[in-house]
Amino acid sequence: MILKSELEELLSNLRKARSILVEEFVSENPDIFTAMFKYDNDNVVMNMYIDCYFITWLNYHLEVFSCFNAKSVSCRNWFLSCMSDLISKYLKGVNTDSHVYKRSEFAYTLLEKKKAAIMHIIKCSDSNKLKYNKLVYAVEKDKKLFEREIAKLKEEA
Amino acid sequence: MSINTLNAKQDYTEKIESEVAGILENTTVDEKEKAPLVKAIAGRICEMVSLSSLHERLGILYEYEKNYLSLVKEYKEEIKFAANLQEDLRKERTKFFAESLREVSQTLKDAQVSTDVASTWLMELVNSYTNSLNLSGNLIDEHTVDTIGIIRKEAKKGASTVKGKGNDINDIKE
């Protein structure tokens, strides 16, 4: 069982991440709105921007979970399980009655890898600090990979 | 009182009556007076036994409930904590669908984003937001279940102490 303070911190991180989502839309974040106008006739590139934005949002959770090493093992594992659950939900995609949003293969691969890395850290809790840092550094790597993929798509178009 | 309990009480009374009749069998008590005397003595014995048993049972129930109440008092803050977290999450979910989503939708409309594009982004926003809300809900539920588990464990400990006095609380509760 994790401590009350740890649970509060986890919940507060999740809440903060949710509020950022809303704020960025309401404040017309240029990253989102530029893509909305620039690629409104190109679904493939547009969807890649959507995947990039929401995967960056997922990554944000990893960045804000500060002082990873100072937390109890159960707290770390709780947080990592949370991340794994969130990623699993993303892998399922969005499918409503009126709309089916298909995530790009590129995003699927990236999310699968991220989930596998998280599961590995949960299993081998001894050496997880180093592996967690690798996960955080992958945040920058993901952005770069998305930029390259989007550039490739634009060239192909 | 259930039929089973009534039957058991009747059997018990008959047994006492038969015992008393046995004792009075070789006495000089007049045969005509024997039957009402047996009934009166047996009735009085049953009454006394049942009063003492009731008193004992009430004592056990009291101990049991006292134990529960002290546990609730001891874990009051924990219970309040879990309830507050659930309440906050419920409020946030309501606010998102009642206010925030409307605000985002209006921003997209004011910015003249095409309907299709806006709907795709909005769908992913709702999906991400609700996934995160559900995840928070699961964390709170898990913590609540853990807390209930601890309280139950403590309650069981208390119940076994009461049980140790020679009675089973479950028999009384039935």
Side-chain angles (χ1 to χ4, degrees):
Chain A
M1 190 174 174
I2 70 163
L3 299 172
K4 257 161 71 171
S5 57
E6 289 176 330
L7 173 67
E8 277 179 314
E9 193 187 332
L10 280 180
L11 292 172
S12 152
N13 283 344
L14 286 167
R15 193 167 47 245
K16 195 174 162 197
R18 286 194 294 271
S19 72
I20 282 175
L21 268 186
V22 173
E23 274 166 29
E24 291 197 334
F25 275 84
V26 173
S27 64
E28 294 185 39
N29 178 301
D31 288 342
I32 306 172
F33 281 73
T34 305
M36 282 180 184
F37 287 107
K38 208 167 174 184
Y39 304 103
D40 66 343
N41 286 323
D42 188 339
N43 276 344
V44 180
V45 178
M46 172 73 75
N47 287 354
M48 192 61 84
Y49 268 105
I50 293 177
D51 284 341
C52 176
Y53 177 76
F54 286 98
I55 289 176
T56 305
W57 178 73
L58 272 180
N59 285 334
Y60 167 78
H61 293 79
L62 296 168
E63 287 178 283
V64 293
F65 189 68
S66 56
C67 311
F68 183 80
N69 215 28
K71 304 281 190 304
S72 68
V73 176
S74 55
C75 178
R76 280 186 259 166
N77 284 348
W78 249 36
F79 168 72
L80 290 170
S81 300
C82 276
M83 287 310 298
S84 167
D85 284 353
L86 259 185
I87 293 171
S88 298
K89 281 170 181 153
Y90 268 85
L91 285 167
K92 280 183 192 162
V94 186
N95 194 348
T96 63
D97 291 342
S98 57
H99 229 101
V100 178
Y101 173 72
K102 201 176 176 316
R103 220 167 287 291
S104 64
E105 280 302 318
F106 176 78
Y108 267 107
T109 315
L110 209 131
L111 287 168
E112 289 277 15
K113 277 187 188 165
K114 206 174 284 295
K115 192 182 166 188
I118 287 173
M119 295 314 284
H120 185 74
I121 297 175
I122 296 176
K123 270 185 202 164
C124 327
S125 53
D126 289 346
S127 57
N128 58 16
K129 170 69 182 160
L130 184 68
K131 291 197 174 82
Y132 185 77
N133 283 346
K134 279 187 184 170
L135 210 60
V136 175
Y137 117 86
V139 169
E140 287 305 315
K141 191 177 158 188
D142 286 353
K143 276 184 202 161
K144 207 74 205 161
L145 290 177
F146 262 109
E147 277 173 22
R148 280 187 207 157
E149 197 63 22
I150 289 170
K152 210 163 83 184
L153 284 173
K154 283 180 196 166
E155 267 175 34
E156 282 169 13
Chain B
M1 203 180 282
S2 72
I3 294 173
N4 282 345
T5 318
L6 278 171
N7 287 341
K9 202 178 170 189
Q10 202 175 341
D11 288 349
Y12 179 70
T13 311
E14 281 170 8
K15 212 173 164 187
I16 298 282
E17 279 178 6
S18 140
E19 287 293 324
V20 175
I23 294 167
L24 295 179
E25 205 175 61
N26 298 321
T27 59
T28 54
V29 178
D30 189 67
E31 283 301 320
K32 280 181 190 169
E33 288 172 6
K34 244 184 204 171
L37 193 60
V38 166
K39 278 232 178 278
I41 295 172
R44 187 81 182 113
I45 292 172
C46 285
E47 209 174 280
M48 285 172 74
V49 168
S50 118
L51 264 176
S52 131
S53 154
L54 181 70
H55 185 73
E56 197 180 337
R57 281 165 178 243
L58 280 176
I60 293 164
L61 270 179
Y62 174 75
E63 284 297 321
Y64 188 75
E65 297 300 332
K66 198 171 84 177
N67 182 41
Y68 253 116
L69 280 175
S70 67
L71 274 174
V72 169
K73 205 173 159 189
E74 192 182 332
Y75 285 93
K76 194 177 75 181
E77 289 307 315
E78 292 289 334
I79 295 166
K80 220 166 114 184
F81 174 72
N84 285 344
L85 291 180
Q86 307 253 22
E87 180 60 20
D88 288 348
L89 198 68
R90 260 196 302 274
K91 277 184 190 164
E92 191 192 333
R93 195 183 290 269
T94 309
K95 192 185 169 206
F96 174 70
F97 286 103
E99 296 172 26
S100 311
L101 199 54
R102 196 176 294 168
E103 206 181 336
V104 170
S105 189
Q106 192 57 49
T107 309
L108 290 167
K109 206 174 167 186
D110 293 346
Q112 294 180 319
V113 176
S114 83
T115 321
D116 280 352
V117 171
S119 118
T120 311
W121 279 88
L122 267 179
M123 202 170 54
E124 187 69 4
L125 168 71
V126 172
N127 184 49
S128 300
Y129 204 100
T130 47
N131 280 344
S132 172
L133 275 176
N134 293 342
L135 196 65
S136 295
N138 291 345
L139 285 176
I140 298 168
D141 288 348
E142 211 174 304
H143 187 266
T144 309
V145 167
D146 284 347
T147 308
I148 291 171
I150 294 172
I151 299 176
R152 278 210 174 131
K153 213 170 158 189
E154 292 287 320
K156 264 188 185 171
K157 254 194 237 168
S160 62
T161 319
V162 177
K163 236 172 143 180
K165 289 177 181 170
N167 287 280
D168 193 333
I169 190 71
N170 291 322
D171 294 344
I172 295 170
K173 285 177 105 181
E174 277 165 17

